[in-house]
Amino acid sequence: MRKVDVLDFRGSYYEIGLAHGRRLYNSEHFQSMLSKIKGISILDQDTEEIKNILKYFCPQLLDELKGLQEGIKYTESDVLRLFGGYDMPLLEMGCTSFITSDYYVRNYDFSPNIYDSTFVIQRHHGNNWICGNSELMLGRLDGMNHNVLTCGLHFVNNDPHKKGFIGSTIVRIILEMCKNVEEAIDLLKDLPHAASYNYSLVDRNGSFAVFEASPDMTNIHREKKSLSCVNMFQTGKMETYNQTNVDSSLDRLEALSHLSKTIKPVSEVHKWFSTQTSPVFYTDYEHFFGTLHTVSYVPKTYKINLTSPGGETQVISM
């Protein structure tokens, strides 16, 4: 299993996109992953529409895409279609998280063949930074920003599927544009959602929530002491959007229910998530359901713990 590389970039969005692209240009893993993505990508995406909607919601990402384009030596059209994160086919991915007012612990489950294997830190002017596990270079599977807002995605269903942003681009936009959970919820209400996802959130003030989003309807899920989030909607308002078979999610919720009864320190929860015998750790990599990383975000201390399967934990201080 590939270790997650921590990439620490500093500069403008364009400069960081360029540096990231140059690093990827000669990467065999990147080229292999890209060939798989091209095989399922939509060829008739409207690139002007992609540019306009990114400009409206998060214009700085267009500068980063320009740098990425130069770094990997692709056309603007190809970069927008492959990495813009709008009107794209959606891949099913598994994710489990446990959230309290003090920390956010999460496993990401998918295939190592379509996985960036990079945790990207972007430092811009002043104290403006974001960090997180990368998907398709521009997107984030989970992450934290300089306001110490943390957000992660959890796939729920591709049916219905409408024109909109994919989950990892939505996470990135939230991290770029929001200071706290309430701002994130307001923006999530406005963003066009291509499919059904949970977005788990926590901020420096100890506010936490799960935003349940489908292309047609949204809802907010809150609890007092902790929240467990998996690949299904848990509120009655949204349950009709769940897939028919949610057995795996129900199993994980049952396992997580024991954590909610006695809140443990983040180090213990992280270790439990990352242990391969844990009920929330999966190894079915051939069928796109293997744990690829365990990550813990601790907003009040600006620290992140990141563990690849079978590897040692990397401690990142922001």
Side-chain angles (χ1 to χ4, degrees):
M1 189 62 58
R2 288 175 57 87
K3 176 185 175 182
V4 177
D5 294 327
V6 177
L7 308 182
D8 197 334
F9 296 117
R10 186 182 298 274
S12 67
Y13 284 88
Y14 171 82
E15 291 167 338
I16 289 174
L18 177 62
H20 199 176
R22 284 175 172 168
R23 184 185 185 281
L24 295 169
Y25 182 67
N26 293 316
S27 165
E28 291 183 8
H29 175 69
F30 171 72
Q31 295 299 338
S32 174
M33 183 184 74
L34 204 57
S35 67
K36 294 178 175 64
I37 295 169
K38 285 180 176 179
I40 59 173
S41 64
I42 297 173
L43 299 178
D44 60 351
Q45 291 157 283
D46 185 335
T47 53
E48 284 302 312
E49 183 180 14
I50 297 171
K51 281 201 288 188
N52 288 336
I53 199 159
L54 282 172
K55 184 178 181 180
Y56 179 80
F57 283 108
C58 197
Q60 58 265 44
L61 295 188
L62 288 173
D63 292 332
E64 189 169 326
L65 284 170
K66 288 179 183 177
L68 183 64
Q69 174 191 340
E70 183 174 334
I72 62 175
K73 305 185 187 302
Y74 274 39
T75 66
E76 179 188 59
S77 177
D78 280 346
V79 165
L80 286 166
R81 287 177 175 139
L82 291 167
F83 308 115
Y86 183 79
D87 191 22
M88 293 180 67
L90 292 143
L91 300 170
E92 300 180 11
M93 54 193 74
C95 312
T96 307
S97 68
F98 183 74
I99 315 159
T100 73
S101 59
D102 293 321
Y103 59 76
Y104 175 111
V105 184
R106 156 184 168 83
N107 276 359
Y108 173 67
D109 310 307
F110 198 48
S111 166
N113 295 323
I114 307 178
Y115 178 56
D116 288 14
S117 298
T118 53
F119 184 95
V120 178
I121 301 169
Q122 297 190 208
R123 306 179 194 270
H124 301 290
H125 58 277
N127 190 39
N128 180 7
W129 56 262
I130 71 163
C131 64
N133 284 288
S134 170
E135 184 186 52
L136 299 177
M137 311 330 129
L138 197 75
R140 297 293 178 264
L141 298 164
D142 47 67
M144 176 190 283
N145 67 18
H146 66 277
N147 296 299
V148 210
L149 171 66
T150 299
C151 179
L153 58 78
H154 306 253
F155 172 79
V156 173
N157 205 344
N158 275 337
D159 184 17
H161 177 202
K162 296 185 178 180
K163 185 179 288 188
F165 285 116
I166 63 174
S168 58
T169 303
I170 288 175
V171 171
R172 177 69 190 276
I173 292 172
I174 294 301
L175 294 173
E176 289 286 347
M177 305 303 293
C178 301
K179 296 183 179 66
N180 53 48
V181 167
E182 299 310 316
E183 285 190 9
I185 287 172
D186 288 342
L187 182 51
L188 282 162
K189 290 177 181 177
D190 291 337
L191 288 166
H193 297 271
S196 296
Y197 275 77
N198 283 314
Y199 296 92
S200 45
L201 303 153
V202 65
D203 64 26
R204 74 161 79 223
N205 299 317
S207 178
F208 58 96
V210 170
F211 188 90
E212 301 177 332
S214 78
D216 303 320
M217 185 185 297
T218 64
N219 195 41
I220 302 161
H221 180 202
R222 296 184 190 265
E223 299 286 350
K224 289 184 178 180
K225 292 184 178 180
S226 65
L227 269 172
S228 299
C229 190
V230 289
N231 301 107
M232 61 179 283
F233 294 141
Q234 297 180 55
T235 62
K237 178 181 177 181
M238 300 292 288
E239 63 185 4
T240 57
Y241 290 98
N242 288 334
Q243 297 184 68
T244 303
N245 185 348
V246 292
D247 290 349
S248 170
S249 287
L250 291 172
D251 289 343
R252 283 175 279 153
L253 283 177
E254 175 62 25
L256 291 165
S257 69
H258 299 292
L259 289 178
S260 65
K261 294 174 183 176
T262 305
I263 304 301
K264 299 181 183 299
V266 63
S267 58
E268 290 187 30
V269 179
H270 183 99
K271 183 177 180 180
W272 184 75
F273 264 68
S274 61
T275 300
Q276 296 192 21
T277 55
S278 168
V280 298
F281 192 104
Y282 285 81
T283 57
D284 192 5
Y285 297 101
E286 291 185 4
H287 296 96
F288 298 88
F289 204 75
T291 299
L292 297 173
H293 68 249
T294 300
V295 64
S296 302
Y297 295 92
V298 188
K300 293 176 183 177
T301 62
Y302 293 83
K303 287 190 176 180
I304 302 106
N305 300 309
L306 179 62
T307 308
S308 301
E312 295 185 0
T313 297
Q314 302 179 75
V315 180
I316 303 163
S317 297
M318 296 303 300

